[in-house]
Amino acid sequence: MSPPVYVVTLDVERRLNQAGFPVTATQLQPLRERFLRQLQDHVPGELIVYDESDYRRRMNALADKLRPHGQLVSMTDDYVDDADDYLELNRAGYPVNGHITKMDIPVARHGSPPASAQFDTAAARANGRPIILVDDGVWSGGTLNYVITQFQQRGCPVVLVGGGIIRSPHVPTNIDQILHSLFPFPDDQGRELADWICERDFTVIVPNFGRQLATPDLSALDHRRIGMAYFGPTGFPYDCASIEPPHQKPYSTICIEFNLDLLTLLEGLRGNGMMQLGELTTKPWGLQDRADDLSVREFLHEWGNAL
């Protein structure tokens, strides 16, 4: 039996620069190499590493291939340029005992039109043409299934689905679809995807800030952006992650070490003292009520000690 595969996407450089922390791939390389060595030691499986720029180039090539077949609707604005429509949606989550339980039902991003209005607009623009959906990845299939249903209810057939990383056992079953995937799993060697690890998911300085809080039935929505670093103890909860329990603590430890290395690099580059919580684009989940002048290094050490 083939070992499981862990895909790692190197995608934090652009986000750091957008957040006002100028850094280059060359400066990040030693940190990344150390992280990947440690990850290989603690995660039982094969690592496949993709750079974001290459991933983005491939996603745009896939979108161009699918575009002639209908109205191209992208579920991500990170990886696809010049789609006919973009859905500005986030997955919601709700707090349970200090952690976040995620839901596959997407909600409108703060400042964007309601989700229903976005579907109405995209369906009207399609004007009877079939819908081509593109996403950077399909993990459980829940979000994609929901979006397909919304278009079907508006009389728009979804005839093609394209994506980056797609786990085929988890794709929706409510359409006669032709799937186009850059990196399908199981792959041609029969390998299964155990987890997809993105740098932005474990970098607290630019945390994955697209999540919003809601009640389980979505009757109430908190439009604050919630930064979620996908590791313990106060980030994305273990029970929603794909890292197996025996490896969760060492995985979280090396994520914290990567953040400390990155912090040392950024503080050295700017040369004006310790970075503080209030300087981050979004406060990570669990730290919303902490003082802005709390040093980032201090809470990273707190997290490490809590493990």
Side-chain angles (χ1 to χ4, degrees), residues 106-186:
V107 297
R109 295 179 186 171
H110 181 48
S112 300
S116 59
Q118 293 186 45
F119 289 119
D120 289 343
T121 298
R125 287 176 178 167
N127 194 27
R129 300 181 72 210
I131 298 292
I132 312 299
L133 282 178
V134 181
D135 200 359
D136 59 340
V138 177
W139 190 255
S140 70
T143 300
L144 184 61
N145 207 3
Y146 177 84
V147 170
I148 289 171
T149 300
Q150 293 300 309
F151 278 119
Q152 288 178 330
Q153 291 175 352
R154 289 162 173 79
C156 294
V158 179
V159 296
L160 290 173
V161 176
I165 296 171
I166 293 182
R167 296 201 304 170
S168 58
H170 300 275
V171 299
T173 57
N174 61 349
I175 62 170
D176 294 328
Q177 59 193 323
I178 302 173
L179 288 169
H180 295 257
S181 176
L182 299 177
F183 313 106
F185 288 94

Side-chain angles (χ1 to χ4, degrees), residues 232-233 249 252-253 256 260 297-307:
K249 182 176 179 178
S252 296
T253 298
I256 290 173
L260 288 168
R297 190 174 302 274
E298 182 177 344
F299 77 71
L300 285 171
H301 282 301
E302 287 180 7
W303 284 5
N305 293 334
L307 291 173

Side-chain angles (χ1 to χ4, degrees), residues 88-92 105-109 115 118 212 214 218 221 223:
E88 298 180 353
L89 305 173
N90 290 326
R91 282 183 299 177
I105 300 174
V107 297
R109 295 179 186 171
Q118 293 186 45
Q212 297 176 89
L218 292 180
L221 183 67
H223 279 293

Side-chain angles (χ1 to χ4, degrees), residues 2-21:
S2 300
V5 170
Y6 290 80
V7 171
V8 183
T9 310
L10 305 180
D11 61 359
V12 80
E13 176 189 346
R14 177 167 61 90
R15 289 165 177 81
L16 284 169
N17 280 275
Q18 289 174 340
F21 304 110

Side-chain angles (χ1 to χ4, degrees), residues 18-39:
Q18 289 174 340
F21 304 110
V23 66
T24 67
T26 300
Q27 292 165 330
L28 289 171
Q29 184 174 349
L31 285 64
R32 287 169 161 166
E33 290 177 349
R34 181 185 180 207
F35 174 82
L36 292 171
R37 284 196 304 269
Q38 292 178 311
L39 185 63

Side-chain angles (χ1 to χ4, degrees), residues 18 31 37 45 53-54 62 83 96 119 130 135 145 155 163 187 201 218 220 228 230 238 242-243 272 275 287 299 306:
Q18 289 174 340
L31 285 64
R37 284 196 304 269
S53 59
D54 180 54
L62 175 63
V96 178
F119 289 119
D135 200 359
N145 207 3
D187 64 9
D201 290 342
L218 292 180
M228 292 165 63
Y230 287 15
Y238 294 146
S242 301
I243 302 294
N272 61 346
M275 188 179 299
L287 298 174
F299 77 71

